[in-house]
Amino acid sequence: MRAKNSDQLIDVAKALLAGGVDCIEITMTTPNALAVIADCRKTLGDKAFIGVGSVLNAKVAREALAAGAQYVISPIFKKEVIDAAHEGGAPCIPGAFTPTEILAAWEAGADAAKVFPAEFFGPAYIKSIKGPFPHIDLLPTGGVTPETVGEYIRVGAFATAAGSSLVEAKALKDKNWAAITARAKAFVAAVAAVK
């Protein structure tokens, strides 16, 4: 979840959970992100797996884990972020795009590689990367939609991430939680159809 205002994010998290999305990432670009993470953990308890995204250094990873984040996502590969996450007992998925970056992240201890931005090459890129790296879990992120999510899973992604295509700006602005729940259900149904 990424927003300019953190006030509504608990409601968004509840709407996502109602739609079957129980792995929710709060990005550090959101105002008061650490407080939102803590609030989500308190409000949703064990019903959701709450993580932190847009982590750029070890300090932020540690702060987020202290606030209650259960996993760490980064748009970049930095070994210090992986190490900080693991020291806190949390999985870490750094950003990596090229085969060299993906392998380097994996060899540095990443639990998977966030292939970002995935939209420019689509599912075919994930399929190609899985050829030489069948042992590396890939998380395509960026531009994943209900229309493409199933194909990403079918070609070998272990999961996908979605931001504005899941929590659409208009629904957030209008506080249309039902629309967010419906969108979450569409993603979940598309994945279920290929599993």
Side-chain angles (χ1 to χ4, degrees):
M1 296 188 305
R2 186 184 310 270
K4 294 177 184 174
N5 182 321
S6 60
D7 294 343
Q8 302 171 331
L9 293 184
I10 295 295
D11 291 323
V12 172
K14 288 177 182 176
L16 291 172
L17 192 56
V21 173
D22 60 4
C23 190
I24 300 169
E25 171 191 331
I26 313 297
T27 65
M28 286 304 298
T29 56
T30 298
N32 305 310
L34 298 176
V36 174
I37 290 167
D39 288 347
C40 280
R41 285 298 308 279
K42 181 179 176 184
T43 303
L44 302 177
D46 292 336
K47 295 176 188 169
F49 195 45
I50 305 297
V52 62
S54 301
V55 175
L56 302 180
N57 58 57
K59 178 180 179 289
V60 170
R62 290 187 189 100
E63 290 171 349
L65 293 172
Q70 296 168 285
Y71 61 92
V72 175
I73 307 284
S74 178
I76 58 164
F77 162 50
K78 246 187 187 178
K79 187 170 181 346
E80 71 176 61
V81 174
I82 297 170
D83 292 343
H86 289 171
E87 286 164 13
C92 183
I93 303 178
F97 195 77
T98 67
T100 300
E101 291 169 344
I102 290 167
L103 183 60
W106 180 257
E107 290 179 342
D111 296 280
K114 172 182 172 173
V115 181
F116 172 78
E119 64 197 293
F120 294 104
F121 296 107
Y125 186 68
I126 299 301
K127 182 179 180 183
S128 294
I129 293 296
K130 287 299 283 186
F133 302 132
H135 59 291
I136 299 177
D137 286 332
L138 302 176
L139 178 79
T141 306
V144 178
T145 68
E147 294 75 30
T148 61
V149 66
E151 185 63 10
Y152 278 110
I153 299 299
R154 193 186 68 72
V155 300
F158 88 100
T160 69
S164 59
S165 64
L166 176 59
V167 179
E168 295 176 314
K170 182 170 179 11
L172 184 61
K173 181 182 175 193
D174 295 344
K175 299 182 182 181
N176 188 345
W177 313 133
I180 292 171
T181 295
R183 192 76 170 165
K185 285 180 179 179
F187 270 91
V188 171
V191 171
V194 298
K195 284 205 167 186

